[in-house]
Amino acid sequence: MDDRQSHMLLALRQITENVSVQSTLEDAMSLLVVSIRKATGADCCSLYLVDSFKKFLKLAATDGLSKQAVGKARLRIGEGLVGSVGEKQELIDLADAPSDPKFKYLPEVGEDEFFSFLGVPVLNQGELLGVLVIQSKERRQFGPVEESFLVTLSAQIASIIAVSRSQKDSSSESVQAYVGEQGTGGIAIAKAVVWQPEVQLADVTVQHTKEPEVQQELFHQSLFQLQTEMDLNTLHMSENGKKDAAFGYVSGYGSLLDDTTFQDDVDTEIMANGLTAASAVKVVAERRLSDLASSEDRDGYLDLRDMSEIIISRLMNFSSRAPELKEDVVLAVRSLPAAMVAELKRYRVCGFISMESAANSHTSVLARDLGIPSVSGLHFDINTLNGRTVIVDGMNSELLVDPSESIIAEYRQMMLSGREQEDLFSREKYKEAVSTDGVRVRVELNAGLSHEEMTDLPEQCDGVGLYRTEISFMMSGSLPGEQQQVQWYRSVLKQFKKQSVTMRTLDVGGDKALSYLPIEEINPALGWRGVRITIDQPQILKTQLRSMIIAHSEYGNLQIMIPMVSRLSEIVTCKRMLSQVVKEVSAQLGREIPMPKFGVMLEVPAVIYMMDEILGEVDFVSIGSNDLMQYLLAVDRGNQKVSRFFEPFHPAVVRCLKQLCDKAGQRNIPITVCGEIAGNPLDAMMLLSLGYTELSMNYSELARVRYTVRRVSIGALKDIGEQALKLCHSEDIRKIYLDYAQSVGLGRVVMPAGAKHIPSDD
Ligand code: PEP
Ligand code: MG
């Protein structure tokens, strides 16, 4: 090691130590740039940080450029030399930067006198945080010693920056940004109103009464009053066509009011143990909550806690109703009963945030279906938010508190361009998806809640590719019987009577829980789920198949599909039960019912090696890419920490999808994709390039995918598919589809405004 190297090594240690003890990020950054400039002998050192939209790199600190430009000078990721370092996440070391074609001149920063340029990316856990740059007036390349100094330093300071930024945006526009566990819908901007029952269980002190009869009467009156209010609300929702929301209302929450064992337990505490009504509710609720706390039933836990607090509030004469509001607000709550979601618009709530989140809870399912912007699973004290302006960014599961005018303006712009795009797609929503070279692509709907009120829905799609029956089961307070199920299935088959409707048998377990069928497992994703449950509980499967066949006997457009299949015997068992049910129902109705088409979902990688045998048993197959990717890539689909590894363009995913499509094609068996990738325009292009022509997606994605298909050439995409199969890095594969999208004017469609990816212009 020569003198220069050991000098740099010493400087490296000192800089990291000094920077880490600074009390603010601004101080740390200022010290950093000054120290680096001195240690390297450069004429200038600057730090650019990625802004909160992950679109721009903004000058955050400098020793050498104009101080006036700090917080103002910015380059898009990919723009100029700084932007290129950010985009490629690679260092650039040039002797004569201004003569490089990528060089971008920014008049306000005052870099006219500098020639040499060395820029390195600042990365934390693979995420770009910024770019660190040194420049000098001399035309000389810095070389390996400075390069390794800067690379090592940037790795060490990355975690300091990441921690500080999670609390406060470092630019001059101060804003607090919090990332939640999940989000729904688009963007809402408004003042926050914090709402929670005035009384919390923990605050209630247990008291005794000398008049137990009076307390018992009070308890039953409160229950009755609450039940009546709920019935009225349910009626109101049903009148407005929100039948499923009404189910959620009554079941996820209201059914607890009908729970006679709960009432009996409270009565006993009052009459036998002499507790006041409020104390009795507290004691019974806490007893039940401690049982539920250790179970998987997060929804049941929250429903019981919320309902008990509301009853106690009533008993103690607090209103516990949602606040009366005069302007649109963002509601901030600890948790929100599914019951209230469908009512939010009535209370002038344009979005909501909650601290607690149950993955796939009733609340999220409803919020997603109704398109309400929300972020849940936020881990901080929301009580601090009352009256403050917030931005709820459901698309990125992010909450911004006290955003500056310019950030609000930028989000408003995103809302506007989002709306303009929606209008653009909407103008063509009834046009079939036919590519520019004449290939007809089926664009089908993934449904779970009924959309009966949307009478034109069948014209917006080519039928239902996936009807998730478990959503109605989740909304129900107990296992639904045959009559109830026939009613659900009949309404969907009737609405799409001229098209096929693919219903999936109950797919619970894993991340989807039924409150009345608690499953406790250490590793639920690999546990008792999907078809494994319904085969072990044949009565559940049989009732469901019977209900489907009864509904099918009227409309004849049903297809049945089995989820989470991992072995041939599961297919054989389900098929056998289906033929038996068809025979039984035919005999019962006294007429021949045609056998519905029967298919399976391809979600477990084992099926890749069993395709020949599986295809011999079924009429169609459908790829559940959410689960297939989860198992193929060993990435938990609901875990934010690893979500960046959930990559549709991973070479293994692309090659697997190609293999499955080809196999089905050879046997002439229709194959659909019904996971989330089918509804994402860029991913859908990849599917088309591999030979898929049937895609099934959520309602909100139909028009965008139809619009996309109508602008691409399948022939050209197939050539790109051939190239993709030869590549071995996700980013390289993704890029060739992005380039194609841009070449046909779909750059903004595949990267909607506000999506947290590197932006691309057409
Ligand atoms: C899938 O796994 O891709 C799928 C469609 O099923 P779900 O998301 O309901 O598990
Ligand atoms: Mg699945």
Side-chain angles (χ1 to χ4, degrees):
M1 194 186 293
D2 65 19
D3 276 1
R4 207 153 138 259
Q5 281 171 311
S6 49
H7 159 75
M8 291 243 185
L9 196 63
L10 189 65
L12 192 77
R13 235 178 272 137
Q14 274 169 357
I15 294 175
T16 323
E17 274 168 24
N18 293 343
V19 165
S20 67
V21 295
Q22 297 302 307
S23 51
T24 68
L25 182 59
E26 283 75 10
D27 290 348
M29 291 190 303
S30 304
L31 180 67
L32 183 75
V33 288
V34 172
S35 316
I36 294 176
R37 194 187 60 71
K38 276 196 197 136
T40 55
D43 296 312
C44 169
C45 174
S46 312
L47 175 65
Y48 295 79
L49 289 183
V50 172
D51 73 345
S52 49
F53 307 113
K54 300 202 166 65
K55 271 187 181 172
F56 293 100
L57 282 156
K58 271 193 199 166
L59 184 62
T62 183
D63 183 19
L65 299 182
S66 160
K67 294 264 189 263
Q68 312 298 329
V70 171
K72 296 192 190 91
R74 62 183 198 175
L75 290 149
R76 276 181 175 274
I77 294 174
E79 185 184 32
L81 290 172
V82 172
S84 298
V85 173
E87 184 183 46
K88 298 210 172 77
Q89 305 197 349
E90 280 168 9
L91 71 79
I92 294 181
D93 189 357
L94 298 172
D96 186 359
S99 64
D100 190 273
K102 268 296 210 180
F103 180 81
K104 164 115 187 180
Y105 179 70
L106 292 181
E108 72 272 27
V109 303
E111 59 184 339
D112 306 50
E113 50 184 340
F114 302 121
F115 284 97
S116 66
F117 173 102
L118 168 60
V120 300
V122 183
L123 301 164
N124 184 51
Q125 292 183 358
E127 186 193 355
L128 181 70
L129 296 182
V131 172
L132 195 52
V133 178
I134 52 174
Q135 290 170 281
S136 86
K137 295 179 184 167
E138 218 184 310
R139 276 192 179 86
R140 62 157 176 124
Q141 208 167 8
F142 282 103
V145 176
E146 280 87 348
E147 285 175 11
S148 78
F149 172 77
L150 224 52
V151 168
T152 318
L153 194 60
S154 80
Q156 294 185 357
I157 57 160
S159 58
I160 304 173
I161 296 176
V163 170
S164 310
R165 292 203 94 191
S166 67
Q167 295 303 325
K168 185 175 178 295
D169 188 83
S170 63
S171 68
S172 57
E173 301 160 325
S174 92
V175 60
Q176 282 169 282
Y178 300 93
V179 179
E181 282 167 21
Q182 54 179 320
T184 64
I187 295 167
I189 306 173
K191 291 237 179 326
V193 166
V194 178
W195 180 77
Q196 55 191 14
E198 289 84 339
V199 181
Q200 296 185 8
L201 280 178
D203 305 334
V204 180
T205 45
V206 176
Q207 290 178 347
H208 289 81
T209 177
K210 294 206 171 67
E211 298 175 315
E213 291 81 6
V214 176
Q215 291 294 319
Q216 192 184 25
E217 181 58 24
L218 270 176
F219 168 60
H220 285 278
Q221 266 182 21
S222 301
L223 274 190
F224 180 73
Q225 189 192 11
L226 211 51
Q227 184 71 68
T228 315
E229 276 175 32
M230 285 204 175
D231 288 347
L232 283 174
N233 278 323
T234 308
L235 190 69
H236 170 82
M237 280 185 262
S238 300
E239 279 166 358
N240 289 307
K242 304 243 172 295
K243 282 219 181 95
D244 284 310
F247 277 134
Y249 199 85
V250 173
S251 57
Y253 192 45
S255 68
L256 288 166
L257 298 177
D258 290 333
D259 179 351
T260 50
T261 63
F262 181 80
Q263 296 177 25
D264 290 347
D265 288 356
V266 174
D267 282 344
T268 309
E269 290 297 338
I270 298 173
M271 299 308 289
N273 299 335
L275 297 190
T276 60
S279 307
V281 174
K282 170 194 165 85
V283 167
V284 174
E286 284 185 341
R287 200 158 56 219
R288 292 183 169 214
L289 286 173
S290 79
D291 292 343
L292 281 169
S294 56
S295 85
E296 288 281 307
D297 186 8
R298 189 81 189 125
D299 286 342
Y301 180 94
L302 297 179
D303 286 345
L304 174 61
R305 190 198 59 196
D306 292 347
M307 185 205 65
S308 309
E309 290 180 346
I310 287 176
I311 298 173
I312 294 176
S313 300
R314 297 288 174 99
L315 286 165
M316 297 171 86
N317 283 331
F318 293 109
S319 81
S320 204
R321 289 190 181 88
E324 288 297 324
L325 301 166
K326 302 215 162 41
E327 55 177 3
D328 283 356
V329 296
V330 164
L331 194 66
V333 287
R334 194 174 41 160
S335 70
L336 192 67
M340 275 190 66
V341 177
E343 286 290 275
L344 293 180
K345 289 273 189 276
R346 232 160 50 110
Y347 289 109
R348 308 204 59 165
V349 173
C350 58
F352 73 88
I353 52 173
S354 67
M355 290 168 75
E356 307 201 13
S357 106
N360 285 298
S361 67
H362 306 157
T363 303
S364 302
V365 170
L366 264 181
R368 191 165 294 125
D369 203 60
L370 299 171
I372 298 174
S374 77
V375 176
S376 57
L378 284 161
H379 301 289
F380 69 97
D381 182 8
I382 52 156
N383 285 308
T384 57
L385 292 182
N386 224 354
R388 292 163 76 182
T389 301
V390 296
I391 298 178
V392 180
D393 176 358
M395 184 160 41
N396 296 301
S397 308
E398 214 169 72
L399 172 76
L400 303 184
V401 182
D402 295 335
S404 64
E405 280 307 317
S406 65
I407 290 186
I408 292 180
E410 222 160 317
Y411 271 88
R412 285 211 195 287
Q413 185 55 44
M414 279 196 273
M415 282 166 89
L416 197 68
S417 41
R419 252 179 245 142
E420 278 167 5
Q421 264 205 348
E422 291 306 321
D423 288 348
L424 194 68
F425 305 146
S426 181
R427 266 179 247 142
E428 295 186 16
K429 68 179 176 182
Y430 299 130
K431 292 195 177 152
E432 288 180 344
V434 180
S435 68
T436 53
D437 50 350
V439 178
R440 171 82 164 83
V441 175
R442 284 178 64 84
V443 174
E444 298 173 332
L445 175 71
N446 285 355
L449 296 176
S450 149
H451 288 280
E452 260 178 313
E453 71 285 2
M454 293 175 66
T455 48
D456 64 348
L457 192 49
E459 289 147 62
Q460 297 184 47
C461 61
D462 299 295
V464 178
L466 168 66
Y467 181 76
R468 289 182 162 106
T469 57
E470 65 275 6
I471 293 186
S472 302
F473 276 66
M474 283 160 72
M475 295 297 196
S476 192
S478 57
L479 199 63
E482 185 175 295
Q483 255 187 350
Q484 172 67 81
Q485 290 191 51
V486 172
Q487 209 181 324
W488 293 337
Y489 306 149
R490 191 180 271 149
S491 104
V492 185
L493 294 181
K494 181 176 170 201
Q495 184 175 17
F496 293 89
K497 56 180 175 291
K498 296 198 188 113
Q499 294 160 316
S500 60
V501 173
T502 305
M503 288 192 182
R504 173 169 78 181
T505 57
L506 187 64
D507 185 23
V508 289
D511 57 353
K512 287 179 267 189
L514 292 180
S515 55
Y516 44 88
L517 186 69
I519 302 169
E520 276 179 52
E521 289 177 320
I522 292 175
N523 197 349
L526 302 183
W528 200 47
R529 55 170 304 194
V531 70
R532 298 174 185 174
I533 296 184
T534 46
I535 285 184
D536 285 351
Q537 297 288 328
Q539 206 43 52
I540 297 183
L541 181 60
K542 187 155 183 208
T543 308
Q544 186 170 39
L545 291 177
R546 274 186 56 85
S547 313
M548 288 179 178
I549 296 302
I550 292 171
H552 174 60
S553 72
E554 282 177 60
Y555 301 100
N557 53 344
L558 171 71
Q559 307 200 134
I560 290 181
M561 174 159 89
I562 310 292
M564 285 299 299
V565 164
S566 59
R567 42 185 45 77
L568 210 55
S569 61
E570 291 162 342
I571 305 178
V572 175
T573 307
C574 293
K575 253 176 88 173
R576 198 180 308 128
M577 186 179 295
L578 178 62
S579 355
Q580 191 190 332
V581 164
V582 171
K583 267 194 217 126
E584 262 177 41
V585 178
S586 298
Q588 190 183 327
L589 299 181
R591 63 190 153 86
E592 200 64 24
I593 302 172
M595 182 77 177
K597 290 216 167 102
F598 176 84
V600 296
M601 291 194 71
L602 307 179
E603 298 181 287
V604 181
V607 297
I608 305 167
Y609 307 97
M610 303 279 298
M611 278 299 274
D612 285 327
E613 293 84 350
I614 290 175
L615 292 170
E617 294 288 342
V618 297
D619 301 310
F620 68 94
V621 285
S622 183
I623 297 184
S625 52
N626 309 338
D627 277 313
L628 184 62
M629 282 164 60
Q630 144 161 283
Y631 297 124
L632 196 62
L633 301 176
V635 177
D636 178 348
R637 58 191 266 188
N639 182 344
Q640 291 261 348
K641 283 201 204 88
V642 289
S643 58
R644 69 205 146 102
F645 300 123
F646 199 74
E647 299 169 303
F649 294 100
H650 189 296
V653 174
V654 177
R655 291 173 200 182
C656 165
L657 289 169
K658 175 69 178 162
Q659 203 174 321
L660 294 175
C661 187
D662 285 354
K663 276 273 177 204
Q666 283 154 18
R667 303 281 293 245
N668 250 339
I669 299 281
I671 184 164
T672 312
V673 180
C674 65
E676 297 299 309
I677 59 173
N680 175 307
L682 193 66
D683 302 349
M685 282 187 196
M686 181 258 284
L687 294 170
L688 298 175
S689 80
L690 301 178
Y692 289 89
T693 52
E694 290 186 30
L695 310 174
S696 191
M697 63 210 67
N698 297 326
Y699 171 71
S700 57
E701 291 144 359
L702 291 171
R704 189 152 42 130
V705 171
R706 277 191 159 184
Y707 180 95
T708 302
V709 173
R710 292 170 55 74
R711 280 157 185 80
V712 298
S713 148
I714 302 293
L717 275 174
K718 284 201 166 156
D719 292 342
I720 294 170
E722 290 298 320
Q723 286 177 48
L725 290 163
K726 293 188 196 124
L727 295 171
C728 46
H729 294 288
S730 314
E731 265 317 305
D732 296 343
I733 299 179
R734 185 166 179 274
K735 183 163 186 313
I736 55 177
Y737 290 100
L738 254 182
D739 289 347
Y740 177 72
Q742 285 176 288
S743 75
V744 293
L746 291 171
R748 299 231 180 271
V749 174
V750 297
M751 289 282 194
K756 296 247 161 142
H757 294 285
I758 296 164
S760 60
D761 288 317
D762 290 347

